[in-house]
């Protein structure tokens, strides 16, 4: 019988499963086709699916009555030889059952020593093959475990990220005259952060974020004496009920300004923070963000003043609601800052901001309108009343004002973007300290993580207004500024 026929014959004896495993078991227990009922009872014929592999000792097949006939011994030798030949055990060129240079089938006429030796040699060879398969099974198991571990790591992970941004800045028009410097965080603040999530099951996950700011030009922390001054919070997130975070974090008002209203994303020389109230971030804050419902979402924040005299002292409240679908992104935000002290009830500063942008593909248009009421509702970002004169202070921050912004971003080529905006601040008090800002910028993406940029902005202060042209991280010193730099994110 040819090799393939013998293998098929052996396969038919025990049904489905790994053919090497079942044929080796047949050979080891000495069971030819004509001797059924001699295979010990086992629970798993497929070695790759067995929890435990039991190696059955090889008996001497000649001692069984049904193997003492010439045909029985011949069938046994042919079967064992076929198994060995299948796994490259010294086969003859015609792929029959020749083994070790001799045909075992020819030894069926007598119980020769050679036959016994070859049988044990074959047994050892097949045993080694079983071990190899067992090893493969172990490796596969380890691979499955590694894959499962990878999934677990993806579900519970910590990511290190950051931005390194530095540029040349030239400022004009301030009390200090012309200022040229190397600045950090011009387009977006330089930072190092850690964020992580843990899947808690049933759509619930835990999360945290720790983010520290630093200055590239001198390697120092951007706020002395702090560690994670930019953001530091922990919370829980549910796919169905939303996200709740506690700690230091951005306000809903600032997220609306930087992500929806401003084509400069609150960075570069054209930052909207130059004229708009920033209300950037708050400590001791509880923030709830809703899931997205058909494009709609909202958030609300409450900041504890943590003052023993009154809960209102230092308290801040913020909220926003928005709609984002396709090319349209629109949002309405509110911010309230208590002005109460331990001795007086001074009301609060209140800010409303409506913003939207629409992507026309050839350009993205931006528009925003803000209303500011009450003390501390429109404080200047520079906090310097003597930005333009050493003897005469600039007008005090308005307690009744509004802001308007129109702008656009235009893609130029495959990697360039032009940014432009006009902002007007209207002081509605008797001081009438208005200001206008014109800004133009260009960013070129060298890769997905690295870009170069250049921008210019000019502020026209009226009636002793004291606004300065800054950037994302610094408030600036004059009414004109130019900057060029490079930003890398990781």
């Amino acid at each position: 019988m040819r090799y393939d026929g013998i293998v098929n014959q052996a396969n038919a004896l025990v049904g489905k499963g790994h053919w090497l495993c079942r044929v080796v078991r047949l050979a080891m227990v000495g069971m030819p086709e004509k001797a059924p009922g001699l295979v010990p009872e086992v629970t798993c014929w497929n070695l790759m699916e067995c929890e435990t592999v039991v190696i059955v000792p090889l008996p001497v097949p000649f001692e069984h009555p049904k193997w003492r006939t010439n045909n029985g011994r011949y069938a046994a030798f042919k079967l064992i030889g076929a198994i060995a030949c299948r796994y490259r055990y010294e086969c003859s060129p015609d792929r029959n059952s020749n083994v070790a240079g001799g045909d075992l089938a020819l030894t069926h006429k007598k119980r020769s020593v050679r036959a016994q030796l070859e049988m044990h040699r074959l047994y050892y060879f097949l045993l080694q093959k079983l071990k190899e398969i067992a090893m493969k099974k172990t490796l596969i198991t380890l691979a499955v475990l590694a894959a499962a571990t990878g999934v677990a790591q993806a579900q519970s992970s910590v990511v290190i990220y950051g931005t390194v941004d530095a540029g040349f800045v030239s400022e004009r028009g301030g009390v200090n005259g012309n200022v040229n410097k190397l600045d950090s965080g011009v387009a977006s603040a330089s930072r190092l952060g850690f964020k992580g999530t843990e899947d808690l099951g049933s759509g619930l996950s835990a999360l945290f974020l720790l983010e520290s700011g630093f200055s590239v030009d001198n390697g120092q922390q951007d706020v002395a004496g702090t560690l994670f001054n930019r953001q530091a919070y922990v919370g829980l997130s549910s796919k169905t009920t939303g996200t709740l975070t506690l700690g230091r974090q951005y306000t809903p008002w600032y997220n609306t300004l930087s992500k929806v209203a401003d084509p400069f994303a609150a960075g570069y020389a054209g930052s909207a923070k130059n004229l708009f109230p920033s209300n950037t971030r708050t400590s001791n804050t509880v923030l709830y963000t809703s899931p997205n419902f058909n494009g709609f979402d909202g958030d609300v924040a409450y900041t504890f003043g943590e003052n023993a005299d009154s809960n209102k002292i230092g308290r801040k409240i913020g909220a926003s609601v928005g709609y984002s679908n396709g090319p349209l992104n629109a949002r309405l935000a509110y911010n309230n800052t208590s002005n109460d002290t331990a001795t007086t009830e001074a009301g609060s500063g209140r800010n409303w901001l409506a913003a939207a942008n629409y992507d026309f593909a050839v350009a993205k248009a931006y528009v925003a309108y803000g209303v500011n009421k009450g003390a501390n509702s429109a404080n200047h970002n520079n906090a310097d009343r003597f930005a333009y004169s050493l003897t005469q202070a600039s007008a005090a921050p308005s307690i009744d004002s509004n802001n308007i912004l129109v702008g656009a971003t235009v893609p130029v080529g495959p990697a360039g973007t032009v940014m432009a905006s006009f902002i007007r601040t209207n002081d509605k008090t008797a001081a009438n300290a208005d200001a206008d800002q014109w800004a133009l910028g260009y960013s070129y993406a060298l890769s997905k993580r690295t870009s170069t940029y250049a921008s210019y902005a000019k502020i026209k202060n009226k009636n002793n207004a004291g606004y300065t042209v800054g950037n994302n991280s610094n408030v600036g010193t004059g009414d004109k500024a130019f900057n060029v730099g490079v930003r890398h994110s990781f």
Side-chain angles (χ1 to χ4, degrees):
M1 183 180 294
R2 299 284 296 181
Y3 161 78
D4 292 334
I6 295 176
V7 171
N8 292 335
Q9 183 186 46
N11 287 346
L13 294 177
V14 291
K16 296 181 179 180
H18 190 280
W19 85 267
L20 173 63
C21 178
R22 58 179 181 259
V23 173
V24 166
R25 286 188 181 277
L26 289 172
M28 288 192 296
V29 299
M31 175 186 173
E33 184 179 8
K34 297 181 179 180
L38 300 180
V39 181
E41 184 176 353
V42 294
T43 58
C44 180
W45 283 104
N46 189 341
L47 183 61
M48 299 302 287
E49 297 177 358
C50 296
E51 292 294 332
T52 303
V53 178
V54 179
I55 303 298
V56 181
L58 177 70
V60 180
F62 311 104
E63 295 177 357
H64 194 277
K66 292 186 178 181
W67 282 70
R68 290 175 181 172
T69 66
N70 291 344
N71 289 337
R73 287 198 295 271
Y74 180 80
F77 289 139
K78 292 289 286 187
L79 178 61
I80 297 172
I83 298 168
C85 184
R86 170 65 177 83
Y87 283 89
R88 303 179 186 277
Y89 179 88
E90 300 181 20
C91 300
S92 63
D94 63 356
R95 296 183 68 192
N96 273 318
S97 58
N98 291 2
V99 182
D103 188 355
L104 282 179
L106 298 179
T107 66
H108 72 280
K109 295 182 179 180
K110 57 182 178 179
R111 297 179 56 181
S112 65
V113 176
R114 177 190 172 193
Q116 295 282 356
L117 292 175
E118 290 296 343
M119 288 288 292
H120 286 284
R121 184 182 178 195
L122 272 171
Y123 170 68
Y124 177 78
F125 171 79
L126 294 172
L127 183 61
Q128 292 301 112
K129 283 298 175 183
L130 279 174
K131 290 181 179 179
E132 290 178 13
I133 292 179
M135 180 61 70
K136 290 180 180 178
K137 176 187 175 183
T138 302
L139 293 176
I140 292 173
T141 303
L142 291 176
V144 171
L145 291 175
T149 303
V151 172
Q153 290 176 345
Q155 294 174 344
S156 181
S157 62
V158 176
V159 176
I160 301 176
Y161 70 94
T163 298
V164 183
D165 183 318
F168 168 76
V169 174
S170 179
E171 299 170 342
R172 301 287 187 271
V175 69
N176 296 321
N178 297 339
V179 177
N180 298 314
K181 59 183 178 180
L182 183 66
D183 213 352
S184 175
V186 175
S188 55
S190 298
R191 70 199 72 179
L192 176 65
F194 306 86
K195 59 182 178 181
T197 60
E198 180 186 12
D199 189 351
L200 303 177
S202 301
L204 182 67
S205 60
L207 59 94
F208 77 90
L209 188 145
L210 301 170
E211 188 175 278
S212 178
F214 61 90
S215 298
V216 178
D217 52 333
N218 56 27
Q220 298 178 358
Q221 291 177 308
D222 57 356
V223 178
T226 65
L227 182 56
F228 298 112
N229 58 291
R230 291 185 55 81
Q231 295 185 86
Y233 62 78
V234 65
L236 296 173
S237 179
S238 169
K239 295 180 180 180
T240 57
T241 59
T243 301
L244 184 70
T245 51
L246 302 86
R248 180 170 175 79
Q249 45 202 316
Y250 289 112
T251 65
W253 200 96
Y254 181 76
N255 282 332
T256 302
L257 178 68
S258 61
K259 297 179 180 180
V260 183
D262 188 6
F264 288 87
Y268 309 93
S271 171
K273 294 191 295 183
N274 294 339
L275 294 186
F276 275 80
S278 60
N279 298 319
T280 306
R281 57 179 69 87
T282 53
S283 301
N284 309 313
T285 298
V286 178
L287 173 66
Y288 168 76
T289 303
S290 75
N292 188 291
F293 299 102
N294 297 320
F296 290 94
D297 72 284
D299 51 13
V300 60
Y302 184 91
T303 298
F304 292 88
E306 299 187 348
N307 190 288
D309 293 323
S310 172
N311 291 329
K312 292 184 178 181
I313 299 175
R315 183 191 66 186
K316 295 185 179 183
I317 300 172
S320 73
V321 61
Y323 176 78
S324 180
N325 188 14
L328 176 63
N329 188 7
R331 201 160 196 90
L332 177 66
Y334 172 75
N335 191 78
N336 183 298
T337 303
S338 174
N339 294 317
D340 288 359
T341 67
T343 56
T344 61
E345 293 187 4
S348 61
R350 302 168 303 282
N351 307 99
W352 290 266
L353 177 62
N357 61 67
Y358 192 93
D359 192 349
F360 293 95
V362 295
K364 180 182 286 189
Y366 293 78
V367 62
Y369 181 77
V371 175
N372 317 297
K373 299 284 188 180
N376 297 313
S377 64
N379 291 338
H380 297 176
N381 285 337
N382 57 33
D384 184 1
R385 298 285 302 279
F386 294 92
Y388 295 102
S389 173
L390 293 175
T391 58
Q392 182 180 359
S394 300
S398 176
I399 59 173
D400 186 5
S401 65
N402 57 46
N403 311 96
I404 187 170
L405 177 152
V406 291
T409 59
V410 181
V412 179
T417 302
V418 172
M419 303 163 284
S421 69
F422 170 76
I423 304 174
R424 168 165 290 176
T425 293
N426 179 25
D427 180 10
K428 300 172 68 175
T429 67
N432 196 28
D434 300 338
D436 298 337
Q437 174 179 284
W438 293 89
L440 183 67
Y442 177 75
S443 173
Y444 184 83
L446 300 172
S447 70
K448 292 183 178 180
R449 297 186 298 170
T450 304
S451 63
T452 59
Y453 57 82
S455 62
Y456 175 82
K458 175 179 172 56
I459 289 178
K460 182 179 180 181
N461 286 299
K462 305 174 183 178
N463 300 321
N464 203 32
Y467 299 97
T468 54
V469 178
N471 51 59
N472 185 276
S473 301
N474 295 294
V475 298
T477 62
D479 58 5
K480 296 179 286 294
F482 168 77
N483 45 61
V484 57
V486 61
R487 173 179 56 186
H488 175 77
S489 298
F490 61 90

